[in-house]
Amino acid sequence: MPIFKEIKEHLTARQVAEHYGLKVGRNGMACCPFHDDKHPSMKIDTGYYCFGCGAHGDAIGYVAQMYCLSQYDAACKLVEDFSLPIETHPTDEREQEKARMKWRKEKEERDKIIHIKDRFKKWCFVQIDILHEAEDGIQQIKDSFWNATPDEVFGSPEFETAVNAEPFIGYWLDILCLGTDEERIELFTNGRGEVERYVRKVAGAVERRLGGSRTDTGYGMQQCG
């Protein structure tokens, strides 16, 4: 019987994780050791899956990921650490290198997912502040026309920009503050260019209409890549 199958018949991912120090709750949830997890986001039993960073696998995969080992080396470590009655046989260099390359590729994919998720969270927080500033700028433009004649109001490109941008700014704030994860991800993936264009338009209108008299002198300067 192959060594990997034998090990999985003896050990679950939970047994392995707890042996190496992971604290698992009664509900099978634990703080993921593969990213900065403040609240338990990993479900672990026969296998493991992290809802935060996407890390997943079986008992052997857990050890491989935890100790930066190939699948074969992780299997050998489990056999030794748990004193399993399993014979290990050295694989040839080609197989070992193939296992190492597979592990590196999987690690790169996990790191990429974590980076994208971190970037997404940062973008959401920053855009909420930026859009609130845009709302303030729109209100300042509208207030500046309080005593203006109808011709001055409807002939002003700044007023037109403010009125046109207002529903979009409000809609995006609703998504970022109250929307579902899917809605926020959709906005981040396909709508962030449009958000930035409208923010720039409003910032330009505020500058032209109010100049140095606007309340928020830092408006429109904060950006997130």
Side-chain angles (χ1 to χ4, degrees):
M1 184 184 294
I3 181 175
F4 302 115
K5 188 174 180 182
E6 284 191 82
I7 288 172
K8 283 185 266 187
E9 286 189 353
H10 283 84
L11 298 170
T12 65
R14 178 167 181 166
Q15 287 173 299
V16 168
E18 289 181 324
H19 178 81
Y20 295 118
L22 186 70
K23 293 182 179 179
V24 183
R26 292 181 180 179
N27 59 354
M29 297 299 293
C31 286
C32 177
F34 305 122
H35 76 283
D36 187 18
D37 195 9
K38 303 299 183 186
H39 304 287
S41 61
M42 175 183 280
K43 180 71 174 176
I44 186 162
D45 190 12
T46 54
Y48 66 95
Y49 181 82
C50 176
F51 296 95
C53 69
H56 63 281
D58 54 22
I60 299 167
Y62 183 90
V63 174
Q65 193 170 351
M66 176 63 72
Y67 294 100
C68 300
L69 300 172
S70 70
Q71 291 281 312
Y72 179 78
D73 289 338
C76 290
K77 178 174 175 59
L78 285 170
V79 169
E80 182 177 347
D81 290 353
F82 282 85
S83 301
L84 298 177
I86 298 173
E87 249 186 80
T88 58
H89 303 284
T91 56
D92 60 39
E93 276 299 316
R94 187 181 303 172
E95 287 301 313
Q96 289 187 33
E97 180 58 26
K98 189 185 296 184
R100 282 193 288 269
M101 287 178 66
K102 181 182 178 184
W103 180 87
R104 283 195 294 267
K105 185 176 179 181
E106 289 174 349
K107 184 177 184 301
E108 286 172 3
E109 287 298 316
R110 288 193 300 271
D111 290 345
K112 183 179 178 182
I113 290 170
I114 292 170
H115 172 73
I116 291 172
K117 286 187 175 182
D118 287 344
R119 185 181 169 207
F120 164 68
K121 288 178 183 177
K122 182 181 177 184
W123 182 85
C124 288
F125 284 124
V126 171
Q127 293 308 310
I128 288 172
D129 289 339
I130 289 176
L131 290 172
H132 276 309
E133 289 179 359
E135 270 193 331
D136 291 342
I138 289 169
Q139 189 59 51
Q140 290 176 45
I141 290 173
K142 291 165 69 176
D143 289 346
S144 74
F145 284 94
W146 183 254
N147 294 317
T149 65
D151 287 343
E152 288 174 329
V153 172
F154 294 111
S156 168
E158 289 78 31
F159 187 83
E160 182 180 356
T161 295
V163 170
N164 288 340
E166 190 170 25
F168 290 101
I169 300 297
Y171 173 65
W172 291 327
L173 274 171
D174 283 345
I175 289 177
L176 291 172
C177 296
L178 303 171
T180 64
D181 286 342
E182 289 76 14
E183 289 171 330
R184 285 191 286 268
I185 290 169
E186 173 66 21
L187 182 60
F188 173 72
T189 305
N190 299 317
R192 65 181 184 271
E194 189 177 12
V195 172
E196 290 169 5
R197 282 194 296 275
Y198 268 87
V199 166
R200 284 197 297 269
K201 284 182 180 180
V202 173
V206 170
E207 181 65 34
R208 289 191 303 273
R209 179 66 184 176
L210 303 171
S213 67
R214 69 188 186 277
T215 324
D216 183 3
T217 54
Y219 172 69
M221 298 302 293
Q222 188 182 19
Q223 292 295 328
C224 175

